[in-house]
């Protein structure tokens, strides 16, 4: 079960399975204390979960045309995760990684980029995709793991339901409703590397209005210092400090109408490491975010199968970062006297990196209608418009703001051909002035082998449009008077949408009462024209620049699976595994032509295993194990195969109607390993967490 290999200890899944079996032999369990009524109600509600993220229809998980993972509250707590991105490792095939100590990347069998932009990630149906990064800025969300009710994760391309951003998958984080709890709740976590986190929530209800107020503060030091002499700097500083406020409300003026409203605002500061130029030993720079969001959603239920929904959301993000560099002559390695000769009379001066005017603003309006067309037909359709506004002198090469409008029309038809056969046909039509019109369709067929076993086969053709920043970015260095010195990054006029063809066959079974479930997916994914960067000539000082364009083609085939066993209310085993055979090529340089082969950008083996057991008197023990085979992060470093083992011990206490929980969490009981970059050394981390609920 444990062996020493190549200078490190390896733990195999057998150790965790053996631990779980041992725990199950405990004579006393909380399940023995449940009443018959409790068992009936809990088992009925959990036997066939209802999901919406696959097609936008409210469907039983056995009827959806895609493989989908549900991460519920029990799994979130048992995992011992301290950051939201960590929890996605319990979706087969998903990669969650630290780019730096407080910058995360999340992808689904995609390339290992600093800012992966191939997933649609939502909170309560509101997209949190940030236009400037073409990804999610996790430090500015304001939501914590304590706020989450459950998460729905679609494990394949879901562009027919959620459009371009759902190129390789979709995640919908469903937060707790103001109706779920009342009173105060307080959570705090303290740990190594300066970890300090606290959140306060107040839920109340006034007549037919439910309200929730939340305040969150967090601070940590990121990864520890490294002393490797071969690194560009010897002091990593990638800390984070953030303060956020969120307000949520639910108003039900009638039995058929519901009005939901949310707003949030916050401020966060992260330190970004960077290779310093010529003797600058700081090795980091401050980046400050100020953000706010608003969500307004109205639902009208004509009846149980006929619902109209109108949603308006708005996100704003401002970024403030300034970096003073060396003199131009020092940076370029030339004499100060030669600067006027090379730059049309300009004298030598210090160069700066300035993002102090960087702002993005996104407004989205969507109408959706779900209804029954006949005895065997259900349809959801809708339309939406999204408006993006961006401003940044450094990133866009101009002081004026640019904007972009995107329009979409979508539908999904569920047709019950027979009691055992269900057909799903869906599509998303989109339009913007970057690439024009494009359509992403899906066709899927489900077959019920038995009431608790289902097969599905699906084909999806997806498109990902270049984001506004990818289509318009010009990153250059200038003198203080605005004269161009050098251009580092520029968009290509030839850029177009990326395309993905995905075939999948899925199998799902549930033994009933949610005791044992198996979800298996076989897939073949072919992506063409994936957006990246290549180097080519450019008329500036060094006569070259990197162009943003369609640089990469790849194919990925394999399978992923999830097995969950819940023999009673006090025991949980969840195993996730993905096998990927990834090949492809990427354009690196146009002249002379250089194309590189891709192979290890996705780990061939990706596994996670969670075991949790609650004993008598509300003691809970959890073990979470992870394994990744060799991976060569596309914008990071090569990281050899490694495993990790986390431990959680929790004690829940009740004082009348009040509840408290104390937890000890240990991340990485095994040897240190690198995460994404060599400098990101993940060592053992210990946390203490306290939760108090006062109804």
């Amino acid at each position: 079960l444990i062996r020493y290999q190549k200078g490190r200890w390896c733990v195999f899944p057998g150790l965790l399975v053996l631990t779980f079996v041992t725990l199950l032999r405990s004579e006393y369990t909380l399940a023995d204390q449940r009443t018959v009524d409790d068992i009936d109600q809990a088992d009925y509600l959990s036997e066939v979960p209802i999901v919406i993220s696959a097609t936008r229809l409210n469907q039983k998980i056995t009827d959806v045309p895609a493989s989908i993972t549900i991460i519920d509250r029990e799994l979130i707590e048992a995992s011992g995760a301290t950051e939201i991105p960590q929890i996605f490792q319990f979706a087969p095939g998903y990669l969650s990684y630290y780019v730096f100590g407080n910058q995360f990347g999340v992808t689904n069998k995609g390339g290992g980029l600093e800012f992966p932009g191939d997933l649609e990630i939502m909170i309560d149906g509101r997209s949190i995709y940030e236009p400037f990064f073409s990804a999610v800025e996790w430090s500015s969300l304001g939501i914590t793991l304590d706020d989450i009710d459950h998460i729905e994760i679609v494990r394949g391309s879901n562009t027919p339901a959620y459009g371009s951003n759902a190129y390789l998958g979709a995640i919908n984080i469903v937060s707790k409703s103001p109706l779920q709890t009342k009173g105060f709740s307080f959570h705090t976590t303290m740990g190594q590397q300066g970890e300090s986190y606290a959140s306060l929530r107040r839920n109340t209800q006034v007549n037919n209005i439910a309200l929730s107020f939340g305040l969150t503060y967090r601070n940590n030091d990121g990864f520890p210092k490294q002393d490797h002499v071969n690194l560009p700097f010897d002091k990593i500083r990638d800390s984070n400090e953030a303060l956020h406020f969120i307000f949520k409300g639910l108003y039900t003026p009638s039995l058929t109408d519901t009005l939901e409203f949310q707003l949030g605002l916050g401020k966060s500061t992260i330190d970004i490491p960077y290779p310093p130029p010529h003797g600058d030993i700081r090795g980091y720079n401050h980046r400050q975010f100020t953000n706010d969001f608003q969500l307004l959603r109205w639902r009208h239920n004509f009846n149980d199968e006929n619902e109209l929904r109108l949603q308006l959301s708005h996100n704003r993000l401002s970024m403030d970062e300034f970096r003073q560099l060396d003199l131009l002559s020092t940076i370029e390695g030339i004499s100060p006297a030669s600067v006027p000769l090379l730059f049309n009379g300009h004298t030598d001066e210090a160069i700066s990196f300035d993002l102090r005017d960087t702002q993005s603003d996104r407004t989205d309006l969507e109408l959706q209608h779900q209804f029954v067309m006949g005895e065997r037909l259900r349809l959801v359709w809708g339309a939406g418009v999204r408006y993006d506004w961006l401003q940044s002198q450094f990133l866009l090469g101009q002081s004026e703001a640019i904007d972009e409008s995107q329009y979409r029309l979508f539908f999904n038809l569920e047709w019950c051909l027979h009691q055992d056969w269900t057909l799903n046909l869906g599509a998303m039509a989109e339009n913007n002035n970057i690439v024009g019109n494009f359509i992403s369709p899906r066709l899927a067929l489900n077959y019920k082998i038995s009431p608790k076993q289902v097969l599905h086969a699906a084909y999806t053709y997806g498109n990902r449009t270049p984001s506004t920043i990818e289509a318009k970015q010009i990153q250059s260095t200038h003198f203080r008077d605005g004269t161009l010195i050098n251009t580092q990054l520029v968009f290509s006029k030839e850029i177009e949408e990326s395309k993905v063809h995905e075939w999948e066959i899925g199998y799902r079974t549930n033994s009933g009462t949610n005791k044992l479930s198996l979800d298996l997916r076989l897939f073949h994914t072919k992506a063409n024209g994936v957006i990246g960067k290549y180097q080519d000539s450019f008329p500036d000082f060094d006569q070259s620049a990197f162009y943003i364009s369609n640089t990469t083609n790849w194919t990925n085939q394999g399978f992923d699976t999830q097995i969950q066993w819940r023999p009673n209310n006090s025991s949980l085993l969840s195993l996730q595994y993905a096998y990927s055979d990834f090949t492809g090529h990427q354009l690196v340089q146009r002249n002379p032509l250089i194309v590189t082969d891709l192979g290890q950008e996705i780990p061939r083996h990706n596994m996670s295993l969670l075991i949790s057991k609650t004993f008598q008197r509300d003691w809970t023990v959890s073990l979470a194990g992870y394994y990744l085979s060799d991976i060569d992060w596309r914008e990071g470093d090569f990281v050899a195969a490694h495993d990790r083992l986390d431990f959680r011990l929790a004690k829940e206490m009740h004082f009348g109607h009040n509840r408290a929980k104390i937890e000890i969490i240990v991340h990485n009981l095994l040897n240190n390993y690198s995460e994404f970059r060599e400098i990101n050394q993940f060592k053992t981390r210990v946390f203490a967490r306290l939760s108090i609920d006062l109804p």
Side-chain angles (χ1 to χ4, degrees):
L1 298 178
I2 307 178
R3 64 189 178 95
Y4 192 72
Q5 176 183 336
K6 296 182 179 180
R8 64 188 184 94
W9 290 100
C10 298
V11 176
F12 287 90
L15 174 61
L16 301 182
V17 175
L18 179 61
T19 305
F20 184 72
V21 172
T22 302
L23 294 177
L24 287 179
R25 297 182 63 184
S26 173
E27 182 177 356
Y28 301 102
T29 69
L30 290 182
D32 297 331
Q33 303 171 18
R34 294 196 299 164
T35 66
V36 174
D37 290 339
D38 289 335
I39 294 175
D40 291 343
Q41 183 180 21
D43 292 344
Y44 172 76
L45 292 174
S46 63
E47 185 171 357
V48 185
I50 302 296
V51 296
I52 62 172
S53 298
T55 64
R56 294 175 176 255
L57 278 171
N58 298 328
Q59 292 177 302
K60 295 180 180 179
I61 201 167
T62 53
D63 294 331
V64 298
S67 295
I68 188 168
T69 291
I70 300 175
I71 298 178
D72 59 15
R73 189 68 221 164
E74 180 185 4
L75 192 148
I76 292 172
E77 293 185 1
S79 70
T82 56
E83 304 279 0
I84 291 177
Q86 294 171 356
I87 205 69
F88 302 136
Q89 297 176 96
F90 294 99
Y94 269 68
L95 288 171
S96 171
Y97 50 93
Y98 286 86
V99 176
F100 292 117
N102 285 284
Q103 181 182 329
F104 297 94
V106 179
T107 185
N108 175 29
K109 306 182 183 73
L113 307 178
E114 287 193 21
F115 299 103
D118 46 31
L119 297 176
E120 177 64 285
I121 302 179
M122 300 166 285
I123 297 178
D124 297 326
R126 173 181 61 89
S127 175
I128 56 175
Y129 184 90
E130 170 51 47
F132 260 121
F133 299 108
S134 298
V136 174
E137 173 45 52
W138 293 97
S139 71
S140 64
L141 297 186
I143 190 173
T144 69
L145 285 166
D146 301 314
D147 301 316
I148 298 174
D149 180 77
H150 68 278
I151 305 172
E152 296 181 9
I153 301 177
V154 180
R155 305 207 302 271
S157 179
N158 206 28
T159 52
Y162 290 102
S164 176
N165 292 350
Y167 185 65
L168 295 182
I171 297 173
N172 188 26
I173 301 169
V174 181
S175 66
K176 295 176 181 177
S177 167
L179 291 171
Q180 286 182 254
T181 58
K182 293 183 180 180
F184 286 94
S185 64
F186 173 74
H187 303 268
T188 184
T189 301
M190 303 291 291
Q192 293 176 300
Q193 291 304 116
E195 179 76 23
S196 176
Y197 157 76
S199 71
L200 180 65
R201 297 287 184 270
R202 167 60 169 155
N203 288 4
T204 187
Q205 190 165 351
V206 181
N207 297 324
N208 52 356
I209 303 177
L211 302 173
S212 176
F213 304 86
L215 188 65
T216 301
Y217 171 81
R218 58 165 297 172
N219 181 60
N220 67 64
D221 296 335
F223 282 108
K225 175 182 177 180
Q226 302 299 320
D227 297 317
H228 296 17
V229 296
N230 62 322
L231 297 178
F233 45 87
D234 65 356
K235 176 67 176 76
I236 297 176
R237 178 163 174 173
D238 50 7
S239 60
N240 169 238
E241 185 175 24
L243 179 66
H244 289 90
F245 169 79
I246 291 180
F247 167 70
K248 299 169 62 176
L250 195 65
Y251 174 51
T252 52
S254 67
L255 293 175
T256 59
D257 293 285
T258 302
L259 186 65
E260 180 182 355
F261 43 94
Q262 299 182 15
L263 65 87
L265 53 92
K267 191 172 186 178
S268 60
T269 301
I270 61 175
D271 289 329
I272 304 294
Y274 68 94
H278 305 289
D280 187 341
I281 60 173
R282 290 181 303 155
Y284 68 93
N285 202 60
H286 295 295
R287 179 177 293 172
Q288 188 174 90
F289 296 105
T290 303
N291 68 288
D292 62 83
F293 74 87
Q294 300 83 37
L295 171 68
L296 184 64
R297 182 187 296 124
W298 169 69
R299 299 175 187 267
H300 179 77
N301 292 305
F302 298 97
N303 53 54
D304 291 340
E305 296 289 346
N306 191 340
E307 180 191 77
L308 186 67
R309 188 188 76 173
L310 182 65
Q311 175 176 303
L312 175 65
S313 65
H314 172 256
N315 304 334
R316 179 187 289 115
L317 180 72
S318 298
M319 183 165 56
D320 187 340
E321 180 178 356
F322 181 81
R323 183 188 308 166
Q324 185 66 56
L325 306 179
D326 285 333
L327 292 170
L328 175 61
S329 57
T330 304
I331 295 173
E332 299 296 344
I334 58 179
S335 66
S338 63
V339 172
L341 301 175
L342 295 171
F343 295 96
N344 196 27
H346 271 280
T347 58
D348 198 13
E349 67 177 50
I351 306 302
S352 62
F353 172 91
D354 193 350
L355 288 172
R356 288 178 292 187
D357 66 338
T358 300
Q359 300 180 62
S360 71
D361 195 287
R362 167 169 286 189
T363 303
D364 193 286
L365 177 65
E366 182 178 274
L367 176 69
Q368 178 180 301
H369 186 201
Q370 174 181 316
F371 61 98
V372 175
M373 297 179 65
E375 185 178 349
R376 296 178 178 271
L377 290 174
R378 290 201 305 153
L379 176 70
V380 60
W381 75 276
V385 59
R386 175 177 295 163
Y387 176 76
D388 288 344
W389 180 94
L390 296 87
Q391 183 178 45
S392 175
Q393 172 70 49
F394 182 78
L395 295 177
L396 298 173
Q398 62 183 50
S399 58
E400 297 82 11
I402 64 173
D403 57 7
E404 183 72 37
S405 296
Q406 181 259 4
Y407 306 91
R408 61 189 182 273
L409 180 67
F410 58 87
F411 80 93
N412 189 86
L413 176 70
E414 180 192 80
W415 184 8
C416 184
L417 304 172
H418 182 268
Q419 64 179 12
D420 297 329
W421 294 90
T422 303
L423 178 73
N424 276 272
L425 175 63
M428 171 78 73
E430 299 179 77
N431 170 272
N432 60 41
N433 57 21
I434 299 175
V435 296
N437 302 313
F438 53 96
I439 299 177
S440 302
R442 173 170 55 201
L443 178 64
L445 186 65
N446 286 32
Y447 171 63
K448 288 185 180 179
I449 304 172
S450 70
K452 297 172 183 176
Q453 297 184 79
V454 62
L455 273 172
H456 80 263
Y459 167 73
T460 302
Y461 173 70
N463 294 274
R464 179 187 180 273
T465 179
S467 66
T468 308
I469 192 69
E470 290 169 335
K472 303 292 184 180
Q473 184 170 7
I474 303 177
Q475 185 174 319
S476 304
T477 305
H478 297 80
F479 287 104
R480 283 190 293 268
D481 64 2
T483 302
L484 175 67
I485 298 174
N486 204 25
T487 297
Q488 294 83 36
L489 190 63
V490 64
F491 69 90
S492 170
K493 295 180 180 179
E494 302 171 354
I495 196 168
E496 58 185 23
E497 67 270 26
S498 306
K499 300 175 177 61
V500 64
H501 299 264
E502 186 164 77
W503 297 263
E504 73 170 56
I505 297 175
Y507 170 77
R508 186 177 187 92
T509 182
N510 193 318
S511 64
T513 66
N514 212 24
K515 286 186 176 180
L516 180 65
S517 64
L518 167 65
D519 185 348
L520 175 64
R521 172 178 179 258
L522 285 74
F523 63 88
H524 179 92
T525 308
K526 185 176 182 180
N528 298 318
V530 178
I531 296 172
K533 295 179 290 187
Y534 71 88
Q535 191 172 17
D536 202 359
S537 59
F538 189 84
D540 62 357
F541 175 69
D542 64 4
Q543 297 297 304
S544 71
F546 285 95
Y547 288 78
I548 305 173
S549 189
N550 306 88
T551 63
T552 307
N553 298 321
W554 54 259
T555 299
N556 192 8
Q557 55 189 357
F559 71 92
D560 56 53
T561 186
Q562 182 172 50
I563 303 172
Q564 288 194 346
W565 185 29
R566 302 173 190 253
N568 48 54
N569 266 10
S570 63
S571 305
L572 166 65
L573 183 148
S574 185
L575 171 66
Q576 295 71 222
Y577 173 77
Y579 172 84
S580 296
D581 183 7
F582 183 86
T583 58
H585 59 271
Q586 178 181 12
L587 174 64
V588 176
Q589 184 171 299
R590 178 66 64 85
N591 187 21
L593 184 65
I594 300 177
V595 177
T596 61
D597 291 330
L598 305 177
Q600 290 187 313
E601 282 72 12
I602 298 299
R604 188 171 291 270
H605 306 284
N606 179 2
M607 189 191 77
S608 63
L609 177 62
L610 175 65
I611 297 170
S612 180
K613 174 68 178 179
T614 300
F615 297 92
Q616 195 178 30
R617 298 182 180 178
D618 294 335
W619 284 95
T620 301
V621 176
S622 303
L623 289 172
Y626 309 90
Y627 174 78
L628 276 183
S629 59
D630 294 349
I631 180 170
D632 190 3
W633 297 101
R634 193 174 304 174
E635 292 185 349
D637 300 327
F638 174 82
V639 175
H642 58 276
D643 40 31
R644 168 178 156 182
L645 182 64
D646 295 352
F647 169 79
R648 172 181 175 264
L649 175 65
K651 167 62 176 175
E652 187 169 324
M653 297 164 287
H654 296 268
F655 308 95
H657 295 292
N658 304 321
R659 183 180 72 93
K661 183 187 293 184
I662 300 175
E663 301 170 74
I664 299 297
I665 299 169
V666 184
H667 286 177
N668 192 24
L669 288 166
L670 308 178
N671 295 323
N672 302 341
Y673 67 91
S674 295
E675 183 124 349
F676 192 75
R677 289 186 173 93
E678 181 187 352
I679 58 175
N680 295 342
Q681 288 290 306
F682 202 104
K683 300 182 178 181
T684 300
R685 300 179 179 181
V686 181
F687 305 91
R689 178 186 290 167
L690 171 66
S691 304
I692 300 175
D693 294 319
L694 305 174

